[in-house]
Amino acid sequence: MRQRIDKHRFEPAYAQLASILRNQIAEGVYPPGEKIPSESTISKEYGVSPMTVRQAIGVLTEQGLLDRIQGSGTFVKKLSITESRFELNSLREIFQDSAGTQIKVLQLSLGRADARTAEKLDLSVGQRVILIRRILLRAGRPVMFHEGNVRCDPTRPVVEAELSIGPLSELFTGHCDGSVKKGELELIPTVLGETEAGLLGHAPGTPAFRLEYVVYDFDNAPFGWGWFVAPPEVFRLKTHLGLWE
Amino acid sequence: MRQRIDKHRFEPAYAQLASILRNQIAEGVYPPGEKIPSESTISKEYGVSPMTVRQAIGVLTEQGLLDRIQGSGTFVKKLSITESRFELNSLREIFQDSAGTQIKVLQLSLGRADARTAEKLDLSVGQRVILIRRILLRAGRPVMFHEGNVRCDPTRPVVEAELSIGPLSELFTGHCDGSVKKGELELIPTVLGETEAGLLGHAPGTPAFRLEYVVYDFDNAPFGWGWFVAPPEVFRLKTHLGLWE
DNA sequence: AAGTGGTCTAGACCACTAT
DNA sequence: TAGTGGTCTAGACCACTTT
């Protein structure tokens, strides 16, 4: 034990302990694959209660640095590429800076479902849907394209509200409205078509991400689907593994 | 309160409570944006201790269903597209099925760092590096291409071991060896070049994912970098948001 | 049998938010 | 000031693994 826990500090005890353990792992005191001391040992050593130790270890476990095995012990994890997660942080950054972000509506119309939309929204071909096509601009430059389709349901009276600031817009700005129960997302590599390339100011054939979504209401019925397309310089998907400062 | 907690069940109390709350949210008892009862209220209502309630709410919070705001309450979260995470599950599935997976080494050689590798591995151009090119086969069919570069460091004596089953292979099979402290990953859309397309049995120009990595040792020095390339049917990046069964 | 993590109790006090 | 979540105690018993 090198460091002590100062219970009068602003930082809570579990966070101090987590950071101590983290440093010890970084210094090689506990190499990857090795067992760290038991929870009761740490509890006595640092003079904190068992639950506090659990919380500290819980933090590092969630960060993917430790592995708890019941009956056996807590081990320092080896790095695994398959355990990495990619988050859509770059999207959040773009949408939260509402000052520098503009949305240009290219099309907003009442149409009829084609085969693909009918399948996605559980409709028959030809039923009415609302179609929206938009471009997101950052500092006046086009960075992302959006196409969305919403079910045009007579039992849902708030169609007009949806068109202006409804779920499609809120998918953009960070939140769907309360009528969305669940959604599925898929990230697919693609290349820009003629139209998209022109709109985004790139050459056709440029590699890009396509983020496709379907959203469901509280009756588990799909009511919207669509996709966002952005080139990789806009849509960075980076992540870190292991012991970063 | 509709359901009770049975403390003699196999399922722990906190999990039972989490599932009760989850069902109530799904049924619309607490709509998105609304506050759920306070922890102490729930504690009294279900006859469990405050810590047990915290754990239950913690589970749902980690799942992104609830939001805790100190001093204010716990709220049902609205869906947000920017909070989704993509995991590399499809990679794990491939690598864990070691029976159906083969690795074919195309090239394994001692070479000299080009400009890009020198920059990535913090070397001078022309310093020695180990280059490996491989193809991953599933049921005899090529599904993924890998190119990796490892620093050829005279102070690290285990070069031969690395070449055969070292970190490059372990990046594939799920674990890096213990000398890896941290790594960074980036996912980039790309199109298959002539060579890759030929190896993977696709047309050149097919959209694909490129997963690029750099790994660092415990001295924070980069010692390996490379990338995997796979077409989207191999490398599915799907995720779910909100209340799925 | 001994040791480990997993769950749980029944409180306590603190930091923060709303009124 | 009252109510909320955040932290913490000092134990207890259980499920599981190892010896």
Side-chain angles (χ1 to χ4, degrees):
Chain A
M1 179 171 105
R2 316 188 172 184
Q3 290 176 264
R4 300 196 149 273
I5 290 171
D6 177 1
K7 294 183 185 171
H8 304 96
R9 280 252 297 281
F10 180 76
E11 196 182 17
Y14 79 89
Q16 293 181 48
L17 181 53
S19 136
I20 290 170
L21 292 172
R22 196 188 160 84
N23 288 338
Q24 288 177 339
I25 295 168
E27 289 164 8
V29 180
Y30 309 117
E34 290 290 290
K35 184 152 71 167
I36 68 167
S38 76
E39 297 185 0
S40 68
T41 304
I42 295 175
S43 166
K44 286 166 202 152
E45 191 141 310
Y46 289 91
V48 292
S49 93
M51 283 294 278
T52 303
V53 176
R54 268 196 83 69
Q55 200 176 350
I57 291 178
V59 168
L60 301 179
T61 303
E62 272 171 52
Q63 290 176 5
L65 263 53
L66 294 176
D67 222 359
R68 290 202 268 219
I69 300 177
Q70 181 174 153
S72 180
T74 302
F75 299 82
V76 179
K77 249 195 190 172
K78 295 176 182 174
L79 241 58
S80 165
I81 217 171
T82 58
E83 287 185 18
S84 53
R85 306 164 188 269
F86 290 94
E87 300 187 2
L88 301 182
N89 290 323
S90 51
L91 281 187
R92 202 173 311 154
E93 284 163 23
I94 291 173
F95 299 147
Q96 276 177 357
D97 174 24
S98 51
T101 299
Q102 284 178 286
I103 295 168
K104 192 163 132 194
V105 176
L106 304 175
Q107 186 182 350
L108 178 53
S109 57
L110 195 60
R112 296 188 176 275
D114 59 16
R116 195 166 180 199
T117 296
E119 190 220 320
K120 293 271 184 187
L121 297 186
D122 202 13
L123 299 172
S124 308
V125 173
Q127 286 196 268
R128 289 187 170 281
V129 290
I130 297 154
L131 172 68
I132 188 165
R133 280 188 230 260
R134 304 187 292 187
I135 283 280
L136 186 88
L137 306 156
R138 286 269 286 171
R141 302 165 64 106
V143 292
M144 197 181 286
F145 175 72
H146 175 221
E147 175 164 336
N149 300 272
V150 188
R151 189 172 196 155
C152 189
D153 188 339
T155 67
R156 291 165 50 94
V158 284
V159 174
E160 278 191 64
E162 272 171 31
L163 285 178
S164 51
I165 54 150
L168 283 174
S169 163
E170 287 181 304
L171 277 170
F172 244 89
T173 54
H175 286 295
C176 301
D177 85 337
S179 63
V180 182
K181 180 184 174 188
K182 60 183 182 181
E184 47 196 357
L185 286 164
E186 184 166 7
L187 194 68
I188 308 156
T190 185
V191 290
L192 297 180
E194 288 283 344
T195 320
E196 296 158 344
L199 291 166
L200 294 171
H202 279 67
T206 305
F209 280 119
R210 175 184 163 104
L211 179 64
E212 204 171 302
Y213 66 86
V214 185
V215 289
Y216 297 80
D217 61 23
F218 271 78
D219 298 323
N220 294 327
F223 76 85
W225 85 285
W227 64 88
F228 301 90
V229 172
E233 70 268 19
V234 170
F235 203 163
R236 304 292 285 202
L237 246 65
K238 271 190 156 179
T239 192
H240 292 258
L241 278 176
L243 282 155
W244 291 82
E245 279 42 71
Chain B
M1 178 171 105
R2 315 186 174 185
Q3 291 176 261
R4 301 196 147 273
I5 289 170
D6 177 1
K7 294 184 184 169
H8 304 95
R9 280 251 299 281
F10 181 75
E11 196 182 17
Y14 78 89
Q16 293 182 48
L17 180 53
S19 135
I20 290 170
L21 292 172
R22 194 188 162 86
N23 287 339
Q24 288 177 338
I25 295 168
E27 287 163 11
V29 180
Y30 310 116
E34 291 289 290
K35 186 152 71 167
I36 68 167
S38 77
E39 298 185 359
S40 69
T41 304
I42 295 175
S43 167
K44 285 165 203 151
E45 190 141 311
Y46 289 91
V48 293
S49 92
M51 284 294 279
T52 303
V53 176
R54 268 196 82 68
Q55 200 176 350
I57 291 178
V59 168
L60 301 180
T61 302
E62 272 170 52
Q63 290 176 5
L65 262 55
L66 294 176
D67 222 359
R68 289 200 269 218
I69 300 176
Q70 180 172 156
S72 181
T74 302
F75 299 81
V76 180
K77 249 196 190 170
K78 295 176 182 174
L79 241 58
S80 165
I81 216 172
T82 58
E83 287 185 18
S84 54
R85 309 174 194 278
F86 290 94
E87 300 188 1
L88 300 182
N89 290 323
S90 50
L91 282 186
R92 201 173 311 154
E93 282 162 23
I94 290 173
F95 298 149
Q96 275 177 358
D97 173 22
S98 50
T101 300
Q102 283 178 286
I103 295 169
K104 191 164 132 193
V105 176
L106 304 175
Q107 186 181 350
L108 178 53
S109 58
L110 195 59
R112 296 188 177 276
D114 59 17
R116 195 167 179 198
T117 296
E119 190 221 319
K120 292 269 184 188
L121 298 186
D122 201 14
L123 298 173
S124 309
V125 172
Q127 287 194 270
R128 289 187 170 280
V129 290
I130 297 154
L131 172 69
I132 189 166
R133 280 189 229 259
R134 305 186 290 189
I135 282 281
L136 186 88
L137 306 156
R138 286 271 285 173
R141 302 165 64 106
V143 291
M144 196 180 286
F145 174 71
H146 174 223
E147 175 164 336
N149 300 273
V150 187
R151 189 171 197 157
C152 189
D153 188 339
T155 68
R156 293 165 49 94
V158 284
V159 174
E160 278 192 65
E162 274 171 28
L163 285 177
S164 50
I165 54 150
L168 285 173
S169 163
E170 288 180 304
L171 277 169
F172 242 88
T173 53
H175 286 295
C176 300
D177 84 337
S179 63
V180 182
K181 180 184 175 188
K182 61 184 183 181
E184 46 196 356
L185 285 164
E186 185 166 6
L187 194 68
I188 308 156
T190 186
V191 290
L192 298 180
E194 287 283 344
T195 321
E196 295 159 345
L199 291 166
L200 294 170
H202 279 67
T206 305
F209 280 120
R210 175 185 164 105
L211 179 65
E212 205 171 300
Y213 65 86
V214 186
V215 289
Y216 298 79
D217 60 25
F218 270 78
D219 299 322
N220 294 327
F223 77 84
W225 85 284
W227 64 88
F228 302 89
V229 172
E233 70 268 20
V234 170
F235 204 162
R236 305 293 283 202
L237 247 64
K238 273 192 153 176
T239 192
H240 293 259
L241 280 175
L243 282 154
W244 290 83
E245 279 39 73

